[in-house]
Amino acid sequence: MPEGASTEELARRAAAGDGTALELLLTEIRPETVRRCGRFLPCREDAEEAAQDVLLQVARHITGFEGRSRFGTWLYTVVANCCRQKYRELKRRAAEQPAVIEPAHAVDPRTTSVIAGSRVDLLEALDRLEREHPQLVAPLVYRDICQLDYAEAAERAGIPLGTLKSRLHEARKRVRPWLTASA
């Protein structure tokens, strides 16, 4: 990265059409993108695939970044959307072609990650919430998963702060029993 060029600066330059800045930006954000995707998807390979999708979306749609919010906030929106899309794709693929699990490859419950299981449960809960109450998904994703502060989450969701807080409360209330039932 050129001396003094921050990610924010690279994003602004890339959004203005600077191809070199875009290449540097994609290289700079790749490790963090993989980590962020890993917060959503339990399998490393799936997280890496989703990260590739994120980088592709950033490259294609960087001109949509207007600099009104931080680039990291904009990026987290892309990460959340790509990971949820990857999860739906994996779920659809599994439903279409159920895999035969050989006894030697069966999951050993003693070594299965509780975190991985909880991420799948969370993705299931988000999928259900989106079907039943789509307006509640963005506040929950931005605040609880992306861990944006309330003001940033409201800005990203495009709703007033009070509306974000009430939708977030409602989303948590609806999702909590689904997550505790699967635990």
Side-chain angles (χ1 to χ4, degrees):
M1 184 161 30
E3 187 71 34
S6 69
T7 303
E8 295 293 324
E9 182 182 330
L10 287 174
R12 281 191 296 278
R13 288 181 17 214
D18 183 337
T20 303
L22 177 60
E23 285 183 40
L24 289 169
L25 177 67
L26 294 174
T27 301
E28 177 75 19
I29 66 172
R30 187 183 190 296
E32 179 63 21
T33 300
V34 172
R35 278 192 295 280
R36 286 181 178 192
C37 289
R39 292 176 87 175
F40 284 91
L41 299 164
C43 178
R44 175 131 179 107
E45 292 81 15
D46 295 338
E48 288 176 353
E49 271 187 49
Q52 284 302 108
D53 294 343
V54 169
L55 296 175
L56 183 61
Q57 291 301 315
V58 168
R60 285 183 177 162
H61 302 289
I62 189 67
T63 56
F65 173 64
E66 299 170 349
R68 290 181 303 185
S69 62
R70 292 178 319 143
F71 174 72
T73 304
W74 184 84
L75 177 62
Y76 229 142
T77 304
V78 178
V79 167
N81 290 336
C82 285
C83 287
R84 291 176 53 225
Q85 181 60 38
K86 175 57 70 181
Y87 175 72
R88 285 191 290 268
E89 175 188 313
L90 293 167
K91 191 173 161 184
R92 186 176 53 249
R93 202 179 315 151
E96 290 170 359
Q97 300 176 343
V100 177
I101 299 176
E102 299 294 326
H105 295 95
V107 175
D108 180 352
R110 295 168 298 174
T111 59
T112 301
S113 169
V114 173
I115 294 169
S118 64
R119 282 185 272 185
V120 170
D121 295 337
L122 179 61
L123 287 166
E124 276 294 323
L126 285 171
D127 206 32
R128 181 174 174 186
L129 187 64
E130 188 164 38
R131 286 191 309 273
E132 297 177 12
H133 304 280
Q135 75 281 7
L136 301 179
V137 174
L140 188 68
V141 167
Y142 293 141
R143 179 68 187 127
D144 289 358
I145 298 172
C146 299
Q147 298 176 335
L148 300 179
D149 64 38
Y150 286 101
E152 268 188 308
E155 182 182 329
R156 272 319 296 158
I159 55 177
L161 183 60
T163 303
L164 175 104
K165 288 181 177 181
S166 66
R167 287 183 183 175
L168 179 60
H169 174 75
E170 184 65 22
R172 288 172 175 163
K173 187 171 82 177
R174 292 187 180 277
V175 167
R176 191 172 293 119
W178 302 338
L179 294 175
T180 53
S182 62

